[in-house]
Amino acid sequence: MTTGCVILAGGEGKRMKSERPKVLCEVLKKPMLGWVLDAAEEFGFDKIGVVTGFKRELTEDYLKTRGDIPTFFQEKQLGTGDAVKQAAALISDTDCVCVLCGDAPFVDAETLGKSLELHKASGAGVTVITAEIADPTGYGRIIRENGKFTAIREQKDCSPEEDKICEVNSGAYWFDSKALLEALPKLTDNNANGEFYLTDCVEIIGNAAAYKSEHPDIVLGANTRKTLLELNERARQAVFERLMDDGVSFTTTDGIIIGADVKIGADTLILPNTIILGKTEIGKGCEIGANSYIENCKIGDNVTLDNVKACDSIIEDDVKIGPFAQLRPGTVIRRGVKIGDFVEIKNSDIGENTAVAHLTYLGDSDVGRGVNFGCGCVTANYDGVHKFRTEIGSHAFIGCNTNLIAPVKIGENATTAAGSTITKEVPANSLAVERGQTRIIENWQKNFKRKKK
Ligand code: UD1
Ligand code: CA
């Protein structure tokens, strides 16, 4: 049996008051559409397609970051039923198709699996994933006659009695592909919104099942900024709970945002105002924060990051960085390195036990083991047109205020004298001094001031 998944992402989301498609609104800095795609990919459908519409190019730009996902363009936003019609080519290529809403981020692979089991066992033409929630405002209501699920009624079309029903449509469904393709042309826009509702397929197909989820959160969707904030808060708390179960510590969770895909080891402490995003992995026994921003980094064990910004970098075990340091993309910090205040490192490899203690910029550099940088060292890696690399051998000593004009190479155990501007290779074991002679003029200030008067 081949399974397909159609994710609806064409709507404008007027209530968000955004210039961008609603499905790109973010929960924990990941677009809602990304959450839905993650669940779909984890489930492992044979085919996944996304229906785009409003500002399709923005949705397509995001999808490109996720691989090669086919899209179907819905020219006018005539409703969820019309949106699904656009994906007919994908549907007809499958036996069984799951429709998901790109604005309901908490659907998960486990629920998709269990609902498919019910769908197959019941022999239904359509199985709707539902949940009981305290406040059903805005959701389609599950209508049952003598307990049997017969229809979904949108809020605006509900009778006062139906309006009170708390079992709602999650917007996620399993369809027998053939039954869906037969039902879609029969949809009408004869309803309060004047839209083609996918939900009407339940009555058209007739033979319908409802899978009531144990986790009511999975139905939650965001149509407004207020509900988007609520989703963020729920997701944030869920991440904290998962991490605490894994042995991660928080003194307080104030101001801490950790993305859903972040992994952190036991005995690591996360301090306030710390944001950890993307595919970041952090080892055991670390102290991260306060005031740190970490994105897509791989961090080892026993690492201390104090007021650090680090993106797309690797930090090995036993490293101390901060306060007030930045690691820009492409940086590798090896075991035992110490990086102090006001240091920026970009696209560089810093060898084991090297110390970069204060006020230093290292860009496009390959630095060996046990190197010591004095205060205020700079690699001049850019001539305004091209970037060049700097190579520094193990145990070199780079004196305070050294400028290294790349491309340049400093040998092992070499030393540069404080204040030197190095433009040519310094051989191993040697000292490079680049300094003018000091002239001493006695009584200079006294004479100068007298002349001025
Ligand atoms: C829909 C369901 C409702 C359910 C709720 C769950 C219908 C008629 N109603 O309502 O029963 O409780 O989801 O969240 O289906 N979209 C398009 N093209 C369109 C319209 C929508 O691609 O023409 C996409 C949107 O981008 C969105 C999804 O379909 O991702 C759902 O659309 P939305 O307008 O948010 O539906 P709801 O009113 O939330
Ligand atoms: Ca919605």
Side-chain angles (χ1 to χ4, degrees):
M1 191 191 73
T2 54
T3 57
C5 178
V6 176
I7 302 175
L8 305 184
E12 176 175 348
K14 290 192 186 76
R15 289 164 282 178
M16 288 287 183
K17 306 225 165 67
S18 173
E19 303 274 295
R20 297 163 60 73
K22 174 171 64 173
V23 295
L24 297 185
C25 283
E26 293 175 332
V27 172
L28 298 184
K29 292 288 279 174
K30 177 158 78 180
M32 292 196 282
L33 177 57
W35 287 74
V36 179
L37 272 169
D38 284 345
E41 282 167 4
E42 189 185 336
F43 176 80
F45 289 97
D46 296 311
K47 289 182 176 25
I48 298 178
V50 175
V51 179
T52 63
F54 176 73
K55 299 262 172 102
R56 69 193 283 202
E57 47 314 325
L58 297 178
T59 311
E60 284 166 3
D61 283 350
Y62 172 67
L63 289 173
K64 274 182 212 136
T65 70
R66 302 281 317 222
D68 199 11
I69 299 165
T71 58
F72 302 93
F73 179 49
Q74 183 193 28
E75 210 167 322
K76 282 202 185 121
Q77 278 58 69
L78 301 177
T80 47
D82 180 72
V84 172
K85 265 187 212 168
Q86 315 308 316
L90 185 150
I91 300 167
S92 58
D93 243 12
T94 59
D95 300 312
C96 188
V97 70
C98 175
V99 176
L100 300 174
C101 287
D103 67 345
F106 297 154
V107 67
D108 60 59
E110 189 193 335
T111 306
L112 295 178
K114 286 187 179 167
S115 54
L116 175 61
E117 296 288 299
L118 174 75
H119 180 69
K120 287 195 284 195
S122 66
V126 49
T127 299
V128 179
I129 300 175
T130 76
E132 294 269 356
I133 55 175
D135 178 11
T137 309
Y139 294 92
R141 308 299 205 277
I142 300 300
I143 308 293
R144 290 176 186 271
E145 279 166 28
N146 303 322
K148 193 187 173 314
F149 168 43
T150 55
I152 298 171
R153 195 88 69 237
E154 291 308 300
Q155 173 156 315
K156 282 189 184 164
D157 304 299
C158 279
S159 69
E161 278 311 301
E162 290 168 339
D163 197 54
K164 291 181 196 137
I165 297 170
C166 284
E167 187 185 0
V168 301
N169 168 23
S170 67
Y173 326 73
W174 282 103
F175 288 95
D176 172 63
S177 300
K178 210 162 140 260
L180 176 61
L181 288 171
E182 281 168 16
L184 288 172
K186 297 182 188 154
L187 293 176
T188 68
D189 57 1
N190 187 15
N191 52 52
N193 269 337
E195 286 184 1
F196 294 90
Y197 289 164
L198 178 64
T199 45
D200 287 346
C201 288
V202 169
E203 274 166 288
I204 295 170
I205 293 172
N207 176 18
Y211 173 85
K212 201 192 281 186
S213 163
E214 307 105 78
H215 315 294
D217 273 12
I218 69 128
V219 309
L220 298 177
N223 295 319
T224 63
R225 298 283 176 179
K226 242 174 154 173
T227 48
L228 188 63
L229 174 61
E230 282 167 26
L231 295 197
N232 269 283
E233 199 45 37
R234 274 171 193 268
R236 204 172 75 96
Q237 294 302 332
V239 171
F240 293 148
E241 269 161 44
R242 167 174 65 81
L243 291 174
M244 285 187 284
D245 286 345
D246 290 347
V248 177
S249 261
F250 301 89
T251 315
T252 167
T253 55
D254 288 355
I256 299 178
I257 301 169
I258 302 179
D261 306 320
V262 171
K263 295 192 181 104
I264 304 180
D267 290 320
T268 286
L269 171 67
I270 310 293
L271 292 170
N273 294 328
T274 291
I275 298 173
I276 308 174
L277 299 172
K279 302 275 177 218
T280 296
E281 275 178 44
I282 298 175
K284 294 184 218 157
C286 299
E287 187 171 307
I288 311 292
N291 309 312
S292 294
Y293 181 100
I294 318 291
E295 190 167 1
N296 296 324
C297 288
K298 190 161 175 10
I299 298 174
D301 299 336
N302 304 313
V303 169
T304 303
L305 303 183
D306 173 7
N307 285 269
V308 169
K309 177 165 187 186
C311 297
D312 302 295
S313 293
I314 296 171
I315 301 170
E316 294 185 353
D317 299 345
D318 306 314
V319 167
K320 270 198 166 64
I321 307 183
F324 316 115
Q326 176 168 213
L327 304 186
R328 290 169 50 208
T331 294
V332 182
I333 306 292
R334 306 275 171 195
R335 183 186 289 265
V337 166
K338 284 195 175 53
I339 293 170
D341 47 285
F342 308 106
V343 171
E344 174 180 337
I345 302 183
K346 184 213 78 169
N347 191 28
S348 295
D349 189 320
I350 310 299
E352 280 183 25
N353 299 320
T354 284
V356 194
H358 348 253
L359 299 150
T360 289
Y361 172 65
L362 301 178
D364 306 311
S365 300
D366 299 296
V367 178
R369 273 173 288 122
V371 173
N372 185 82
F373 287 85
C375 181
C377 296
V378 172
T379 53
N381 60 325
Y382 184 46
D383 63 5
V385 183
H386 295 110
K387 304 248 163 90
F388 301 96
R389 292 199 80 81
T390 296
E391 217 180 290
I392 301 175
S394 293
H395 307 291
F397 183 99
I398 310 297
C400 289
N401 258 311
T402 296
N403 293 314
L404 298 163
I405 313 298
V408 71
K409 204 170 158 182
I410 311 292
E412 288 192 7
N413 301 300
T415 301
T416 68
S420 298
T421 293
I422 307 294
T423 54
K424 59 182 182 212
E425 179 167 347
V426 179
N429 306 308
S430 53
L431 166 71
V433 198
E434 198 275 349
R435 241 180 237 168
Q437 287 288 313
T438 305
R439 283 167 64 207
I440 305 288
I441 303 170
E442 283 176 1
N443 296 321
W444 184 83
Q445 198 180 99
K446 204 164 80 191
N447 294 338
F448 175 77
K449 284 184 182 160
R450 199 178 50 219
K451 264 192 236 155
K452 285 282 167 190
K453 279 178 192 159

Short mmCIF file of all heavy atoms in Angstrom, two decimals, residues 282-320:
data_model
loop_
_atom_site.label_atom_id
_atom_site.label_comp_id
_atom_site.label_asym_id
_atom_site.label_seq_id
_atom_site.Cartn_x
_atom_site.Cartn_y
_atom_site.Cartn_z
N ILE A 282 24.54 19.58 22.60
CA ILE A 282 25.43 20.01 23.69
C ILE A 282 25.67 18.78 24.58
O ILE A 282 24.74 18.03 24.87
CB ILE A 282 24.78 21.16 24.49
CG1 ILE A 282 24.57 22.37 23.57
CG2 ILE A 282 25.64 21.54 25.70
CD1 ILE A 282 23.83 23.54 24.21
N GLY A 283 26.91 18.62 25.01
CA GLY A 283 27.27 17.44 25.81
C GLY A 283 26.89 17.56 27.27
O GLY A 283 26.01 18.34 27.65
N LYS A 284 27.61 16.80 28.10
CA LYS A 284 27.30 16.71 29.53
C LYS A 284 28.12 17.71 30.33
O LYS A 284 29.24 18.06 29.93
CB LYS A 284 27.67 15.31 30.04
CG LYS A 284 26.82 14.21 29.43
CD LYS A 284 27.20 12.89 30.07
CE LYS A 284 27.18 11.78 29.03
NZ LYS A 284 28.01 10.66 29.40
N GLY A 285 27.60 18.09 31.49
CA GLY A 285 28.36 18.89 32.44
C GLY A 285 28.76 20.26 31.95
O GLY A 285 29.76 20.81 32.41
N CYS A 286 28.02 20.83 31.04
CA CYS A 286 28.35 22.18 30.53
C CYS A 286 27.59 23.25 31.31
O CYS A 286 26.62 22.95 32.01
CB CYS A 286 27.95 22.30 29.06
SG CYS A 286 28.78 21.15 27.97
N GLU A 287 28.06 24.48 31.20
CA GLU A 287 27.30 25.61 31.72
C GLU A 287 27.13 26.59 30.56
O GLU A 287 28.12 27.13 30.05
CB GLU A 287 28.02 26.26 32.90
CG GLU A 287 27.17 27.32 33.56
CD GLU A 287 27.78 27.82 34.87
OE1 GLU A 287 28.09 26.99 35.74
OE2 GLU A 287 27.95 29.04 34.99
N ILE A 288 25.90 26.78 30.14
CA ILE A 288 25.64 27.59 28.95
C ILE A 288 24.84 28.81 29.37
O ILE A 288 23.73 28.69 29.90
CB ILE A 288 24.85 26.79 27.87
CG1 ILE A 288 25.47 25.41 27.62
CG2 ILE A 288 24.71 27.60 26.59
CD1 ILE A 288 26.82 25.41 26.96
N GLY A 289 25.36 30.02 29.12
CA GLY A 289 24.71 31.24 29.54
C GLY A 289 25.46 31.82 30.71
O GLY A 289 26.49 31.29 31.12
N ALA A 290 24.98 32.93 31.26
CA ALA A 290 23.77 33.61 30.83
C ALA A 290 23.98 34.31 29.50
O ALA A 290 25.09 34.39 29.00
CB ALA A 290 23.39 34.62 31.92
N ASN A 291 22.85 34.77 28.92
CA ASN A 291 22.87 35.64 27.74
C ASN A 291 23.67 35.05 26.58
O ASN A 291 24.55 35.70 26.04
CB ASN A 291 23.47 37.00 28.10
CG ASN A 291 22.81 37.59 29.32
OD1 ASN A 291 21.59 37.61 29.40
ND2 ASN A 291 23.59 38.04 30.27
N SER A 292 23.37 33.84 26.21
CA SER A 292 24.09 33.25 25.09
C SER A 292 23.12 32.88 23.98
O SER A 292 21.94 32.61 24.24
CB SER A 292 24.87 32.03 25.56
OG SER A 292 25.89 32.45 26.45
N TYR A 293 23.62 32.91 22.75
CA TYR A 293 22.81 32.56 21.58
C TYR A 293 23.60 31.51 20.80
O TYR A 293 24.70 31.78 20.31
CB TYR A 293 22.58 33.80 20.71
CG TYR A 293 21.72 33.53 19.50
CD1 TYR A 293 20.36 33.84 19.49
CD2 TYR A 293 22.27 32.95 18.35
CE1 TYR A 293 19.59 33.57 18.38
CE2 TYR A 293 21.49 32.68 17.24
CZ TYR A 293 20.15 32.99 17.26
OH TYR A 293 19.36 32.73 16.17
N ILE A 294 23.05 30.31 20.70
CA ILE A 294 23.76 29.19 20.08
C ILE A 294 22.87 28.63 18.97
O ILE A 294 21.73 28.28 19.23
CB ILE A 294 24.01 28.05 21.10
CG1 ILE A 294 24.47 28.56 22.47
CG2 ILE A 294 24.97 27.01 20.54
CD1 ILE A 294 25.81 29.17 22.51
N GLU A 295 23.40 28.57 17.77
CA GLU A 295 22.59 28.03 16.67
C GLU A 295 23.42 27.05 15.86
O GLU A 295 24.55 27.37 15.44
CB GLU A 295 22.09 29.19 15.79
CG GLU A 295 21.07 28.74 14.77
CD GLU A 295 20.34 29.91 14.11
OE1 GLU A 295 20.65 31.07 14.41
OE2 GLU A 295 19.48 29.63 13.26
N ASN A 296 22.87 25.86 15.62
CA ASN A 296 23.54 24.83 14.81
C ASN A 296 24.98 24.59 15.23
O ASN A 296 25.89 24.64 14.40
CB ASN A 296 23.52 25.21 13.33
CG ASN A 296 22.13 25.26 12.78
OD1 ASN A 296 21.27 24.47 13.17
ND2 ASN A 296 21.87 26.20 11.89
N CYS A 297 25.19 24.33 16.51
CA CYS A 297 26.55 24.05 16.99
C CYS A 297 26.61 22.65 17.57
O CYS A 297 25.62 22.14 18.08
CB CYS A 297 26.94 25.05 18.09
SG CYS A 297 27.27 26.70 17.43
N LYS A 298 27.80 22.07 17.48
CA LYS A 298 28.03 20.79 18.16
C LYS A 298 29.02 21.07 19.28
O LYS A 298 30.15 21.50 19.04
CB LYS A 298 28.58 19.77 17.16
CG LYS A 298 28.62 18.39 17.73
CD LYS A 298 28.71 17.33 16.67
CE LYS A 298 28.87 15.93 17.24
NZ LYS A 298 28.70 15.74 18.66
N ILE A 299 28.58 20.87 20.51
CA ILE A 299 29.37 21.25 21.68
C ILE A 299 29.62 20.00 22.52
O ILE A 299 28.70 19.23 22.78
CB ILE A 299 28.60 22.33 22.48
CG1 ILE A 299 28.41 23.58 21.59
CG2 ILE A 299 29.32 22.67 23.78
CD1 ILE A 299 27.56 24.67 22.20
N GLY A 300 30.86 19.83 22.96
CA GLY A 300 31.24 18.63 23.72
C GLY A 300 30.85 18.70 25.18
O GLY A 300 29.91 19.40 25.56
N ASP A 301 31.61 17.98 26.03
CA ASP A 301 31.33 17.93 27.47
C ASP A 301 32.15 18.99 28.21
O ASP A 301 33.22 19.38 27.74
CB ASP A 301 31.72 16.55 28.02
CG ASP A 301 30.92 15.43 27.36
OD1 ASP A 301 29.80 15.71 26.86
OD2 ASP A 301 31.41 14.29 27.33
N ASN A 302 31.65 19.39 29.39
CA ASN A 302 32.37 20.31 30.29
C ASN A 302 32.78 21.60 29.59
O ASN A 302 33.91 22.07 29.74
CB ASN A 302 33.61 19.63 30.88
CG ASN A 302 33.23 18.35 31.58
OD1 ASN A 302 32.28 18.34 32.36
ND2 ASN A 302 33.93 17.28 31.29
N VAL A 303 31.89 22.15 28.85
CA VAL A 303 32.16 23.42 28.15
C VAL A 303 31.44 24.53 28.89
O VAL A 303 30.31 24.36 29.34
CB VAL A 303 31.66 23.32 26.69
CG1 VAL A 303 31.68 24.69 26.00
CG2 VAL A 303 32.49 22.32 25.90
N THR A 304 32.11 25.68 29.04
CA THR A 304 31.48 26.85 29.66
C THR A 304 31.35 27.94 28.60
O THR A 304 32.35 28.34 28.00
CB THR A 304 32.36 27.37 30.82
OG1 THR A 304 32.55 26.31 31.73
CG2 THR A 304 31.69 28.53 31.54
N LEU A 305 30.15 28.41 28.38
CA LEU A 305 29.93 29.51 27.44
C LEU A 305 29.22 30.63 28.20
O LEU A 305 28.07 30.48 28.61
CB LEU A 305 29.05 29.08 26.25
CG LEU A 305 29.52 27.89 25.42
CD1 LEU A 305 28.57 27.65 24.25
CD2 LEU A 305 30.93 28.11 24.90
N ASP A 306 29.91 31.73 28.42
CA ASP A 306 29.38 32.83 29.22
C ASP A 306 29.19 34.03 28.30
O ASP A 306 30.18 34.55 27.76
CB ASP A 306 30.42 33.12 30.33
CG ASP A 306 30.08 34.36 31.14
OD1 ASP A 306 29.00 34.93 30.94
OD2 ASP A 306 30.94 34.74 31.97
N ASN A 307 27.96 34.44 28.06
CA ASN A 307 27.70 35.56 27.16
C ASN A 307 28.36 35.36 25.80
O ASN A 307 29.17 36.16 25.35
CB ASN A 307 28.20 36.87 27.79
CG ASN A 307 27.29 37.36 28.90
OD1 ASN A 307 26.36 38.12 28.68
ND2 ASN A 307 27.53 36.87 30.11
N VAL A 308 27.98 34.27 25.15
CA VAL A 308 28.61 33.89 23.88
C VAL A 308 27.57 33.83 22.78
O VAL A 308 26.44 33.39 23.01
CB VAL A 308 29.30 32.51 24.02
CG1 VAL A 308 29.73 31.97 22.67
CG2 VAL A 308 30.48 32.60 24.97
N LYS A 309 27.93 34.30 21.59
CA LYS A 309 27.12 34.01 20.42
C LYS A 309 27.91 33.05 19.55
O LYS A 309 29.07 33.33 19.23
CB LYS A 309 26.80 35.30 19.66
CG LYS A 309 26.01 35.01 18.40
CD LYS A 309 25.36 36.21 17.80
CE LYS A 309 24.46 35.74 16.65
NZ LYS A 309 23.89 36.85 15.91
N ALA A 310 27.32 31.94 19.18
CA ALA A 310 28.02 30.94 18.37
C ALA A 310 27.07 30.34 17.35
O ALA A 310 25.98 29.91 17.69
CB ALA A 310 28.59 29.84 19.26
N CYS A 311 27.46 30.38 16.08
CA CYS A 311 26.62 29.82 15.02
C CYS A 311 27.44 28.87 14.15
O CYS A 311 28.60 29.18 13.82
CB CYS A 311 26.06 30.92 14.13
SG CYS A 311 24.98 32.04 15.02
N ASP A 312 26.85 27.76 13.75
CA ASP A 312 27.45 26.82 12.80
C ASP A 312 28.91 26.52 13.15
O ASP A 312 29.79 26.61 12.28
CB ASP A 312 27.35 27.37 11.36
CG ASP A 312 25.92 27.65 10.97
OD1 ASP A 312 25.15 26.68 10.89
OD2 ASP A 312 25.55 28.82 10.79
N SER A 313 29.16 26.17 14.38
CA SER A 313 30.53 25.93 14.83
C SER A 313 30.59 24.65 15.66
O SER A 313 29.56 24.14 16.11
CB SER A 313 31.02 27.11 15.69
OG SER A 313 31.15 28.25 14.87
N ILE A 314 31.82 24.17 15.85
CA ILE A 314 32.05 22.98 16.68
C ILE A 314 32.92 23.38 17.87
O ILE A 314 33.93 24.06 17.68
CB ILE A 314 32.76 21.88 15.86
CG1 ILE A 314 31.84 21.43 14.70
CG2 ILE A 314 33.16 20.69 16.74
CD1 ILE A 314 32.53 20.50 13.71
N ILE A 315 32.53 22.97 19.04
CA ILE A 315 33.33 23.24 20.24
C ILE A 315 33.56 21.90 20.92
O ILE A 315 32.61 21.21 21.30
CB ILE A 315 32.58 24.20 21.19
CG1 ILE A 315 32.27 25.52 20.47
CG2 ILE A 315 33.39 24.44 22.46
CD1 ILE A 315 31.31 26.44 21.24
N GLU A 316 34.83 21.51 21.07
CA GLU A 316 35.13 20.21 21.70
C GLU A 316 35.08 20.31 23.22
O GLU A 316 34.76 21.36 23.78
CB GLU A 316 36.50 19.71 21.22
CG GLU A 316 36.50 19.39 19.72
CD GLU A 316 37.81 18.77 19.24
OE1 GLU A 316 38.78 18.70 20.03
OE2 GLU A 316 37.86 18.35 18.08
N ASP A 317 35.44 19.20 23.90
CA ASP A 317 35.34 19.13 25.36
C ASP A 317 36.24 20.15 26.07
O ASP A 317 37.26 20.56 25.52
CB ASP A 317 35.79 17.74 25.85
CG ASP A 317 34.92 16.62 25.28
OD1 ASP A 317 33.83 16.92 24.75
OD2 ASP A 317 35.36 15.46 25.34
N ASP A 318 35.87 20.47 27.31
CA ASP A 318 36.71 21.24 28.24
C ASP A 318 37.12 22.61 27.71
O ASP A 318 38.25 23.07 27.96
CB ASP A 318 37.98 20.43 28.61
CG ASP A 318 37.63 19.05 29.13
OD1 ASP A 318 36.73 18.95 29.97
OD2 ASP A 318 38.22 18.05 28.66
N VAL A 319 36.26 23.24 26.99
CA VAL A 319 36.55 24.58 26.45
C VAL A 319 35.83 25.61 27.30
O VAL A 319 34.71 25.37 27.77
CB VAL A 319 36.08 24.66 24.97
CG1 VAL A 319 36.06 26.10 24.47
CG2 VAL A 319 36.95 23.78 24.08
N LYS A 320 36.48 26.78 27.49
CA LYS A 320 35.85 27.89 28.20
C LYS A 320 35.82 29.09 27.27
O LYS A 320 36.87 29.49 26.76
CB LYS A 320 36.72 28.28 29.41
CG LYS A 320 36.40 27.57 30.70
CD LYS A 320 37.03 28.38 31.86
CE LYS A 320 36.49 27.95 33.19
NZ LYS A 320 36.81 26.56 33.52
#
